[in-house]
Amino acid sequence: MSRENVEIVRAVYERWSEGDLRASVDVFDPKVLLVVPSGFGPDSPEGGTYVGTEAIAAYTREVLLETWADLTMEADEIEAAGECVLASVRVRGVGRTSGVPTEMHYFQLWSFRGRKVIRFESFRERAEALEAAGLRE
C-alpha cells in the first residue's frame, strides 16, 4: 500500500467536505466500480453496483443530491488497510422533502491500480471493511 494512495483519498475527502463532489473524477479509473450494499440507507434500500464515472455521477445526482440538501461528506479517519485505503466516513444532510436533519456513519474501502481508484465499496461496520481487505481488527 502506497502512502501516496492514502494521501489521494485524504485529498478527495477534503474536497468532498467542502462540497466539491467532482473531486474524485481525476483519480478514478474510467471503469471504476462503486458498490453500495442493499439496505445501506434510506436513499438506496436495494443497494447497487455502479460502473464508470458517468454511472457514479448519476448515482450521486439522483440518489444523494436530489434526496438531501446541505449534504456534507467527511472522513473522520483514513488509513492503509493492506493493499487498500480505509476511510471512516460521516455524512450529514437535511431531507429535501422532510426537512429532517440526518447523519450516517460508515466505512469505505478504496482499491487502487497504480494511482487510480478502481473500486470503492461502502460498509456499515469497520470489521466488514477490513475483512473485505483481507484483514482483521
Side-chain angles (χ1 to χ4, degrees):
M1 163 47 40
S2 166
R3 178 174 264 298
E4 196 171 302
N5 291 349
V6 171
E7 293 308 316
I8 288 169
V9 172
R10 186 178 318 282
V12 168
Y13 279 108
E14 284 175 9
R15 289 176 57 195
W16 281 355
S17 73
E18 296 165 355
D20 180 4
L21 297 180
R22 295 197 48 81
S24 53
V25 171
D26 56 340
V27 299
F28 281 170
D29 182 270
K31 295 184 180 183
V32 63
L33 180 70
L34 166 63
V35 179
V36 179
S38 62
F40 188 69
D43 52 349
S44 57
E46 292 91 34
T49 301
Y50 306 88
V51 180
T53 54
E54 289 305 315
I56 292 171
Y59 167 82
T60 301
R61 279 189 308 276
E62 296 165 15
V63 177
L64 298 178
L65 298 177
E66 290 178 8
T67 305
W68 304 102
D70 302 321
L71 184 74
T72 62
M73 186 179 302
E74 300 173 332
D76 297 330
E77 189 178 329
I78 300 170
E79 61 185 304
E83 296 297 315
C84 301
V85 175
L86 178 63
S88 171
V89 181
R90 190 165 312 277
V91 176
R92 294 178 183 93
V94 176
R96 287 200 184 276
T97 304
S98 68
V100 174
T102 301
E103 182 174 316
M104 184 173 164
H105 180 250
Y106 60 96
F107 299 87
Q108 277 194 325
L109 190 64
W110 296 62
S111 300
F112 286 78
R113 181 179 301 123
R115 295 186 54 174
K116 292 289 187 180
V117 176
I118 58 170
R119 177 186 176 108
F120 64 116
E121 185 171 357
S122 299
F123 299 88
R124 287 302 228 160
E125 303 295 329
R126 177 183 171 85
E128 293 174 308
L130 288 173
E131 184 177 323
L135 304 171
R136 290 198 167 135
E137 287 204 69

